[in-house]
Amino acid sequence: MAGTEDRVFDGDLIRASLFNPDADRLFVTFRQRVNDPGTFSGASPVHSFIRHNHAHLHLQSRHNDWYINADTLEIAKVLRNLTSRYRRVSAIGFSMGGYAALRFSKPLRLRQLVAVSPQFTISPRLLPGDARYRDCADGFDDALGSLDATARRSLQGVILCDPFKRLDVVNAEMIQTVFPKLRICRLGGGGHPASRVLRQGGHFGELQTLLLSDEVDPARVIALHRTSRRESDHYWSHIAKVAARRQRPELAEFAAERADRLVAVAQAGRNPPDAS
């Protein structure tokens, strides 16, 4: 049954769950960094892909270790065998999950990817200027975690990043040197991960369904972001801060007022007046 979980890998540190296994195409997702690591989460299918004749594979790492651990090589073998039955494999991953999609791109036989604010590495030796994940990098194996050594270089798709998040742009550009067919989409004010505005605008589902096509169109992703930002208080709050730093007081005031109005509208929607 489509909604029944098939535990295809159940290691101490990595788990993989498969849904609707008899479909002819595969969609892959990954758990991103979590606030309370140490346990696995419940897995459930992405029904929008199940309805379009996709199997769904969900991977998760027990800890925030970027999937680089004692199970890494074994899960790669399982993925290599598993994905041979599917004619097309696509994926989406956020931050740590985006890195995992890149790291396992070859055994997954990954063809299309939406990577949202992924990392090239968390190694302090290889990228000393990015200290954001030092709490997770203890024991990170540079060789086992090397994207250059494990890349499926024909992988196509997009890397989403917020151009105001300098380190996310640095990582995206480093990734593109290894995966030359991935195109960078700069989504201003998107945050980390860079899909926050898309979620607020109600267009995240459309981002996912771009993977149902043969090619993810960067222009379409950017258009979805531009549509979403009109009604995103997160976007306008960010623009207000940037404008203030750049000494553009009129824009800062306009953006701050727009953000406040959107927050008020959202709060009113959550707390409608009592009609009694």
Side-chain angles (χ1 to χ4, degrees):
M1 295 178 62
T4 301
E5 178 184 0
D6 180 7
R7 191 75 54 77
V8 294
F9 186 81
D10 201 2
D12 290 335
L13 299 172
I14 296 178
R15 176 178 290 180
S17 303
L18 182 65
F19 301 89
N20 198 32
D22 295 330
D24 64 350
R25 293 176 292 177
L26 178 65
F27 174 60
V28 189
T29 58
F30 306 82
R31 187 167 82 165
Q32 61 196 70
R33 186 186 188 195
V34 294
N35 293 327
D36 53 345
T39 60
F40 292 117
S41 306
S44 57
V46 178
H47 293 289
S48 58
F49 281 82
I50 299 295
R51 289 193 298 269
H52 285 87
N53 194 34
H54 280 66
H56 171 216
L57 178 67
H58 180 65
L59 276 70
Q60 49 183 309
S61 192
R62 184 187 293 273
H63 301 289
N64 292 330
D65 54 13
W66 267 246
Y67 293 78
I68 303 303
N69 54 51
D71 283 344
T72 301
L73 295 179
E74 189 61 31
I75 185 64
K77 293 178 184 177
V78 170
L79 296 176
R80 189 174 296 110
N81 292 330
L82 174 69
T83 56
S84 63
R85 74 179 80 162
Y86 297 103
R87 66 178 178 86
R88 183 177 184 274
V89 184
S90 59
I92 189 169
F94 301 81
S95 194
M96 183 177 89
Y99 167 85
L102 297 164
R103 171 58 181 79
F104 295 117
S105 58
K106 189 176 289 185
L108 281 170
R109 295 178 171 87
L110 198 56
R111 178 175 171 183
Q112 288 280 339
L113 171 65
V114 173
V116 187
S117 305
Q119 293 75 46
F120 177 79
T121 183
I122 60 169
S123 169
R125 294 163 295 281
L126 299 178
L127 193 53
D130 189 349
R132 294 174 296 173
Y133 310 109
R134 290 292 185 263
D135 60 322
C136 304
D138 185 33
F140 185 85
D141 186 322
D142 294 356
L144 188 61
S146 170
L147 296 184
D148 187 58
T150 59
R152 189 174 198 229
R153 298 178 191 274
S154 61
L155 176 61
Q156 300 181 25
V158 293
I159 307 169
L160 310 186
C161 63
D162 183 342
F164 297 111
K165 299 288 185 181
R166 183 184 65 82
L167 290 172
D168 281 350
V169 175
V170 168
N171 278 269
E173 291 174 344
M174 293 178 73
I175 289 166
Q176 198 176 47
T177 66
V178 179
F179 297 87
K181 293 189 177 182
L182 289 178
R183 289 164 289 182
I184 298 174
C185 292
R186 291 170 169 82
L187 308 183
H192 180 96
S195 55
R196 183 168 177 179
V197 170
L198 286 167
R199 286 188 182 277
Q200 277 200 326
H203 293 286
F204 178 73
E206 293 175 62
L207 172 65
Q208 278 190 316
T209 55
L210 290 177
L211 286 166
L212 294 171
S213 63
D214 288 334
E215 182 179 1
V216 179
D217 182 4
R220 179 60 181 152
V221 177
I222 292 170
L224 288 173
H225 177 76
R226 286 175 175 167
T227 299
S228 299
R229 69 192 188 187
R230 298 171 188 165
E231 304 302 323
S232 169
D233 64 88
H234 174 78
Y235 172 79
W236 289 106
S237 293
H238 183 79
I239 294 301
K241 293 175 184 177
V242 172
R245 286 200 304 268
R246 297 182 178 180
Q247 298 183 344
R248 298 181 61 185
E250 292 183 0
L251 176 58
E253 182 180 1
F254 171 83
E257 290 178 353
R258 182 71 177 267
D260 289 344
R261 285 200 303 272
L262 290 169
V263 170
V265 169
Q267 290 176 341
R270 289 192 294 267
N271 302 291
D274 189 347
S276 60

